[in-house]
Amino acid sequence: MIGSTISWLLAQEPTLQELQDQINDLSAKQVLDSTVLGEFYYFFTVAILWLAHVGFMAYEGGASRRKNVMSTAMKNILTIAVVTPTFYYFGWYIYTCFGQGLIPYGPGETAFGGFQGGFCATGWPWSDNLGPNFGDHITGVFWAIFLLFSWTTASILSGAIIERVRLSAFLILGTILGSVIWILDASWGWSPYGFLPLRWGFHDTIASLVVHGVAGAFALGVLVNLGPRIGKYTADGLARSFRGHNTHLTLMGLLLIFVGFYGFYAGCLAISSLTFPGWYNIYFSPATLSSITYAITIGFAGGFTGGYFASRGDPFWTLSGGLAGVISVSAGADVYAPSLVWLISISGGAIVVYAGNFIEQKLRIDDAVGAVAVHGVAGFYGPLAVGLFASGYPTGLNNVPVTLQGQLMGMLIFLPLGFFGGYIPAWILKQFNLLRVPPEVELEGLDLAEYGVDFYPEFERATEQIVLPTGETVDAEPVLLEAFRGART
Amino acid sequence: MIGSTISWLLAQEPTLQELQDQINDLSAKQVLDSTVLGEFYYFFTVAILWLAHVGFMAYEGGASRRKNVMSTAMKNILTIAVVTPTFYYFGWYIYTCFGQGLIPYGPGETAFGGFQGGFCATGWPWSDNLGPNFGDHITGVFWAIFLLFSWTTASILSGAIIERVRLSAFLILGTILGSVIWILDASWGWSPYGFLPLRWGFHDTIASLVVHGVAGAFALGVLVNLGPRIGKYTADGLARSFRGHNTHLTLMGLLLIFVGFYGFYAGCLAISSLTFPGWYNIYFSPATLSSITYAITIGFAGGFTGGYFASRGDPFWTLSGGLAGVISVSAGADVYAPSLVWLISISGGAIVVYAGNFIEQKLRIDDAVGAVAVHGVAGFYGPLAVGLFASGYPTGLNNVPVTLQGQLMGMLIFLPLGFFGGYIPAWILKQFNLLRVPPEVELEGLDLAEYGVDFYPEFERATEQIVLPTGETVDAEPVLLEAFRGART
Amino acid sequence: MIGSTISWLLAQEPTLQELQDQINDLSAKQVLDSTVLGEFYYFFTVAILWLAHVGFMAYEGGASRRKNVMSTAMKNILTIAVVTPTFYYFGWYIYTCFGQGLIPYGPGETAFGGFQGGFCATGWPWSDNLGPNFGDHITGVFWAIFLLFSWTTASILSGAIIERVRLSAFLILGTILGSVIWILDASWGWSPYGFLPLRWGFHDTIASLVVHGVAGAFALGVLVNLGPRIGKYTADGLARSFRGHNTHLTLMGLLLIFVGFYGFYAGCLAISSLTFPGWYNIYFSPATLSSITYAITIGFAGGFTGGYFASRGDPFWTLSGGLAGVISVSAGADVYAPSLVWLISISGGAIVVYAGNFIEQKLRIDDAVGAVAVHGVAGFYGPLAVGLFASGYPTGLNNVPVTLQGQLMGMLIFLPLGFFGGYIPAWILKQFNLLRVPPEVELEGLDLAEYGVDFYPEFERATEQIVLPTGETVDAEPVLLEAFRGART
């Protein structure tokens, strides 16, 4: 229509200025169109990533015992209720202003050619960017992706501590992780203005460490204080196993998390459709969406393979291996060749099985879904692999080459940040007896205490069972009662 | 490639006309590219919104008693079978031609500068637009979004009336709601050519009232005729509670509905990537996708919070609160600041809990999933909030400012349209004894009557239970049998 | 920003060459923007299509008996583990190089104006295209879609053979189907360079036959060797019925498959946003996304209707009818008018119910989920319908008109390719006793043999039941034991 109007207008020969005006108009439209494309892109990224949160709820609920299903699921719902406003009111500000460490940049200050200062000014909740604004098409959708990453970190913690944590304690810890700790680490190591990429060439493109690793370390810090579920360990420290009440739904949840991961991957790229090559990683180094598609898809395949063999075919660990495989390759997903992805993800899927057993049996830490292994260990393995396999790749605004030292630097900074970020508030909650439900409640089931009912009212209940360290499955009641007496005294 | 060909062709200096031709070519391609972007956008919106229908099936099935799970689920499937062709053959025509009231505009007629007449001509099922057509990239995908909204309205009704409605009666009522009533209200109040925005500045951007409110009112009109499930009320009119057979799956269904809501939100904007600001609301007032992202995401968070506190932590109502929260802010999602969204959604999430209790206990209307409260009450609260908090905002082709009166006008028109739209056909069906299954069937369970089997053949069945008005949970059988005898006499 | 810079630079009148440079720059940006749009499009197509694989796992698991749920689900997970690397290392090469039959084109060879040769060069796993590459935005995402189609074919097989196939045998057969057979047929009949469209005008736009039909024929070839489950047939050859342990989850899985189908449909178009009409089907004939939206959506509605009436309201067959309806119209989804879609999909939904009964009762082939009927029969019906209803439509690079003969030609080639593609390897596996689990394992349940446990530990188990040919439901144990004795002797 525009074309035909123009040709009618210009039956006579155009002037130079008329042509220039038309070109300016086309150029302005091109910029708007590209902006709308980016806005659309991030919005759907959010929708896909939401599926991971459907998945977390199905997965954790299925992995809990029947007596705890609803208490487990409610954690996932209320994560959204508490992390969303806190991330809006201060989490986003932390991301925009803390890139240089623990001192925020004020809106008027500048660093790195003014970038950081300008970015910082956009992070206050009363900023024009954090609300309806015809001139800003990106902040809202981009903020939403970061928010969903925040939910993700809290959900990683959530699974590890089910069946004995107080709901209120989880909500406090999840808020600290989702709206402070992870977003602080992101401003350091997962932002174009963070000191780790700018000075050390730290490279963690799809957030292996800054999301998964740190959340896993945080969960470890909490678990040390929280302690194992009643009956998890024998008097000799050997591990018993609880059995999830619906493994089929747990697998379905994991598969939904995998779909959500495509949103996670997409959300880690900056789209810029008018500047070659059209995409950037979070450090503003060039990238393409097409190449990370190999990484995520082959990463799942390799991870299943590694998990399957390392666990000798256990369904839960085979699927968790897929998660670990992808997390293992995420840090370098923009630079790896597919065959390298396959090998790293196989190894990552296998490593977390061994790590999970080590944590459960040697460290005697009761992580209900293996989150410390799957997210934490694979999350730290990710950037290490980049240091080993992609050294020299120039990263970030300063084009600092990736080095093993730089990657280790990031790991060394984020391990204590994550661990003590979880350890300290959990320790404080524990001192006030606010961390864990009373042992009577844990024994009866949290649902009975909280809601007074069983949530499968028309399904006859079979006696709860427990797997002994010998592999034998027995009635749980006498075992738990004995352990309960031990816990009380 | 095009660029390099051009530069080769033009090693010698171009003429003005050659430049003009190139500009015309670029401009035409820009228009096509923008059109394809829009087509793509709506297509994925449909896919995301489909997830809500997966969710409705999981949610309603889980909320039913075990004896009714398949009869409940089949309603959701067959909704698609009946609403789709009827919406194709006359629903879309109603949308395009009834904007001025109850008299359609013929294709040749014009109103409002010719817009309405031209739009009307595109709505006949034999129109070029309703079929493959290389020149029309938008009607197919846009029609599909409206269709999925139609399914949504029928699904809102579906949940309220489970466990005793006849399948055939539901399909008739769902068709009336999905292919007539709601789309008629949309042509009045949710179209650039509707009389409500054009004359009254009525503003309901993401369809709080025109989808949810009207469907809730329709459901209320049906429920009044349908009556409560056997055993729902004591002889004194106190409410007993039935218990869904799988609340975990109900929550999972609700979460999928929430994901689908991102498609719902996206589908309520008109994309126009070459005209500032790139997006319009359904009234052709400027908007951005980025800003409604705050509204939907914070709306869930606030709604969970309101629902949680008002219901004192009940899982079903906490999640339903999230739905209510979003519906409460949908009408003004394009204009609200995020903090306002949070406050309105908290209040909306809380209000529907009280409303749900009022409907159940005072009005003695047995709405199995609280649809009248969640969709109806929040759906009417949405445009009211716009009148209270966003008065003066210019809306629609005529830029009529939002007023409280205008919003009330819309509510006053849509309340009887929805309510009697449901009441009258349900009353007629009732006269012919076609509305409700026989009490014997209801008591035994619809699945046994329809399919002759229980759908969990390998799970031992526990006795059905019922919660008395005192809160005590007892065996349902004697209670239901007594009520059944009452129902028969 | 670009616009304002330009206007500042050009306060004085521009020269012809300056204008030309600006036009070249705009044109190059337009090409990049369009490429990024396509990359984004396919990426999200992959994410949506992933949902089908969540669905397959839920659906097959729910359709199995309780004793086989985890063994069934693990097939779906490990499909991803084995098909992904094999498709990467040789499946994609087959697609790019075997268009002319069984002899590959080497990178240096040319055919059809050089197209085939050039395409072939991109298919080696060490090609620049199969890895990160700033100059190639499409191969990675396009490869991923084809990969997910490969998973789909393997999943179609997967469902048919549950409850008695060995996991290792399935993985071998699934790899042959997913990484060899289907992709070979795709290179022949579902590529612009395939001999079937180039010479015969073969038209199967959304892969009715090349994905579903061939996978169904393959499954049939396997089933003939695999044999029915113990107890499926009486000594007189009458069919008994097993009952899935969770039909609600099976329906939910099917609905997720339906959502995934939107990704399947989207992935079958080539997006080209700068060339009218913006989209092409896989043969490079013009198409639009908008028009196929009618086909998929109305196809589900019609299929439910046909399935519902033909099966007299059976839930499983009503939903399977939806799948069959869509598959029936897929081959011509780009050219059919919506009313034609509705009629064909109603007939397709009905036909597969009759076909399913015929296969089960007359052919005495035990297809656990009716995959041969739903995918196979509807998959062959699809291109037949194009021959009947859309003859004359010009297809492909050579614009050969669709003919009934051409469609039959494709069907005649693909039937033996699929059937013997499955029959031969299954026959070989059978000779080495590697195809089927021992009858003792089948009787006890594969989960007990593989994992030693039941996967619903807290739900009391009801005796397994079986439906006799008379329709009566009885305890399965004596029936199965008697059949087991027969199987052993």
Side-chain angles (χ1 to χ4, degrees), chain A residues 46 145 155 199 214 277 291 294 315 325 411:
Chain A
V46 169
I145 292 190
S155 300
R199 296 185 207 161
V214 165
S291 65
Y294 290 114
M411 294 160 72

Side-chain angles (χ1 to χ4, degrees), chain B residues 216-469:
Chain B
F218 189 102
L220 183 65
V222 173
L223 284 168
V224 168
N225 285 292
L226 183 66
R229 287 166 287 182
I230 294 172
K232 175 68 192 178
Y233 293 99
T234 66
D236 303 335
L238 298 177
R240 300 190 189 97
S241 298
F242 301 106
R243 300 196 54 218
H245 83 289
N246 191 340
T247 305
H248 193 204
L249 214 54
T250 292
L251 297 194
M252 198 177 165
L254 271 163
L255 287 182
L256 285 172
I257 292 172
F258 296 166
V259 179
F261 239 93
Y262 282 78
F264 194 99
Y265 260 59
C268 289
L269 291 191
I271 184 171
S272 173
S273 72
L274 302 179
T275 325
F276 183 83
W279 306 87
Y280 296 89
N281 70 15
I282 194 77
Y283 309 116
F284 291 165
S285 301
T288 72
L289 186 62
S290 189
S291 65
I292 68 168
T293 309
Y294 291 115
I296 182 170
T297 309
I298 295 176
F300 281 123
F304 292 146
T305 304
Y308 181 81
F309 283 109
S311 72
R312 297 186 197 162
D314 178 73
F316 180 81
W317 281 104
T318 300
L319 261 86
S320 295
L323 206 49
V326 163
I327 296 168
S328 299
V329 299
S330 292
D334 53 335
V335 297
Y336 291 154
S339 292
L340 183 58
V341 164
W342 197 40
L343 296 175
I344 295 175
S345 60
I346 289 174
S347 67
I351 286 169
V352 301
V353 176
Y354 303 124
N357 288 336
F358 182 83
I359 291 165
E360 184 189 27
Q361 291 166 13
K362 303 294 173 190
L363 300 185
R364 289 175 194 164
I365 284 171
D366 177 19
D367 176 349
V369 297
V372 175
V374 173
H375 295 273
V377 173
F380 277 83
Y381 181 49
L384 178 68
V386 173
L388 294 173
F389 298 112
S391 273
Y393 198 88
T395 292
L397 295 174
N398 289 346
N399 278 309
V400 182
V402 169
T403 59
L404 185 55
Q405 306 91 286
Q407 299 298 96
L408 290 172
M409 172 65 67
M411 295 161 71
L412 282 174
I413 289 172
F414 290 151
L415 182 61
L417 177 68
F419 181 80
F420 290 109
Y423 186 93
I424 294 168
W427 185 88
I428 294 171
L429 286 165
K430 191 180 179 183
Q431 304 317 306
F432 292 95
N433 200 20
L434 293 171
L435 184 60
R436 188 167 174 147
V437 299
E440 295 78 12
V441 167
E442 184 182 338
L443 199 69
E444 270 200 334
L446 278 66
D447 286 3
L448 198 61
E450 184 74 28
Y451 309 110
V453 290
D454 168 68
F455 278 92
Y456 298 98
E458 300 189 63
F459 293 87
E460 199 67 65
R461 194 166 192 152
T463 328
E464 187 185 327
Q465 295 185 311
I466 195 165
V467 186
L468 300 182

Side-chain angles (χ1 to χ4, degrees), chain A residues 102-113:
Chain A
L102 291 168
I103 298 164
Y105 272 78
E109 296 166 81
T110 59
F112 300 97

Side-chain angles (χ1 to χ4, degrees), chain A residues 222-234:
Chain A
V222 173
L223 284 168
V224 168
N225 285 293
L226 183 65
R229 287 166 287 181
I230 294 171
K232 175 67 192 176
Y233 293 101
T234 67

Side-chain angles (χ1 to χ4, degrees), chain A residues 48-57 152 253 256-261:
Chain A
I48 299 293
L49 189 44
W50 239 100
L51 286 169
H53 296 280
V54 185
F56 276 118
M57 199 276 286
T152 302
L256 285 173
I257 292 173
F258 297 166
V259 179
F261 240 92

Side-chain angles (χ1 to χ4, degrees), chain C residues 22-95:
Chain C
Q22 291 177 44
I23 288 173
N24 293 351
D25 181 54
L26 277 180
S27 179
K29 283 179 178 164
Q30 196 175 61
V31 171
L32 180 63
D33 179 79
S34 171
T35 307
V36 167
L37 175 65
E39 192 176 5
F40 164 23
Y41 174 76
Y42 288 117
F43 185 85
F44 277 79
T45 296
V46 170
I48 299 293
L49 189 43
W50 239 101
L51 286 170
H53 297 279
V54 185
F56 276 118
M57 198 277 286
Y59 156 75
E60 292 181 24
S64 74
R65 285 166 287 175
R66 178 168 166 171
K67 64 188 179 189
N68 297 321
V69 57
M70 200 49 53
S71 304
T72 298
M74 280 297 276
K75 285 202 292 45
N76 297 95
I77 310 306
L78 292 175
T79 294
I80 296 175
V82 296
V83 174
T84 305
T86 52
F87 189 81
Y88 179 80
Y89 285 113
F90 55 79
W92 184 245
Y93 170 73
I94 292 173
Y95 183 66

Side-chain angles (χ1 to χ4, degrees), chain B residues 1-3 6-7 10-16 18-20 22-23 25-27 29-30 32-34 36-37 39-41 43-44 46-48 50-51 53-55 57-62 69-70 73-74 76-78 80-82 84-85 88-89 125 129-144 147-148 151 167 245-246 249 252-253 256 450-461, chain C residues 15-17 19-20 22-24 26-28 30-31 33-34 37 40-42 44-45 48 51 64-67 243-249 251-253 255-256 258-259 261-263 265-266 271-279 286-294 296-298 300-302 304-305 308 312-316 318-319 333-340 342 393 456 459-465 473:
Chain B
M1 203 173 71
I2 290 171
I6 287 170
S7 48
L10 302 174
Q12 57 216 53
E13 197 165 71
T15 66
L16 283 168
E18 283 170 355
L19 288 174
Q20 183 64 62
Q22 293 178 43
I23 288 173
D25 182 54
L26 277 180
S27 179
K29 284 180 177 164
Q30 195 176 60
L32 180 64
D33 179 80
S34 170
V36 167
L37 175 65
E39 192 175 4
F40 164 24
Y41 174 76
F43 185 84
F44 277 79
V46 170
I48 298 292
W50 239 101
L51 287 170
H53 297 279
V54 185
M57 199 276 288
Y59 155 76
E60 292 181 23
V69 58
M70 201 51 52
M74 281 296 276
N76 297 96
I77 311 305
L78 293 174
I80 297 175
V82 297
T84 304
Y88 180 79
Y89 287 112
N129 300 84
L130 269 85
N133 178 346
F134 295 154
D136 178 355
H137 290 250
I138 292 301
T139 304
V141 284
F142 206 58
W143 170 86
L147 171 66
L148 267 76
W151 296 357
L167 176 61
H245 83 289
N246 191 340
L249 214 54
M252 198 177 165
L256 285 172
E450 184 74 28
Y451 309 110
V453 290
D454 168 68
F455 278 92
Y456 298 98
E458 300 189 63
F459 293 87
E460 199 67 65
R461 194 166 192 152
Chain C
T15 67
L16 284 168
Q17 192 52 52
L19 289 174
Q20 183 63 62
Q22 291 177 44
I23 288 173
N24 293 351
L26 277 180
S27 179
Q30 196 175 61
V31 171
D33 179 79
S34 171
L37 175 65
F40 164 23
Y41 174 76
Y42 288 117
F44 277 79
T45 296
I48 299 293
L51 286 170
S64 74
R65 285 166 287 175
R66 178 168 166 171
K67 64 188 179 189
R243 302 196 55 218
H245 82 288
N246 190 340
T247 305
H248 192 205
L249 213 54
L251 298 194
M252 198 177 165
L255 287 182
L256 285 173
F258 296 167
V259 179
F261 240 91
Y262 281 78
Y265 260 59
I271 184 170
S272 172
S273 72
L274 302 180
T275 326
F276 183 83
W279 306 86
T288 72
L289 185 63
S290 189
S291 64
I292 67 168
T293 309
Y294 291 116
I296 182 171
T297 309
I298 295 175
F300 281 123
F304 292 144
T305 304
Y308 180 82
R312 297 183 197 163
D314 178 73
F316 180 81
T318 300
L319 262 86
D334 53 335
V335 297
Y336 290 153
S339 291
L340 184 57
W342 197 41
Y393 199 88
Y456 298 97
F459 293 87
E460 198 69 63
R461 196 167 190 151
T463 329
E464 188 185 327
Q465 294 185 311
T473 300

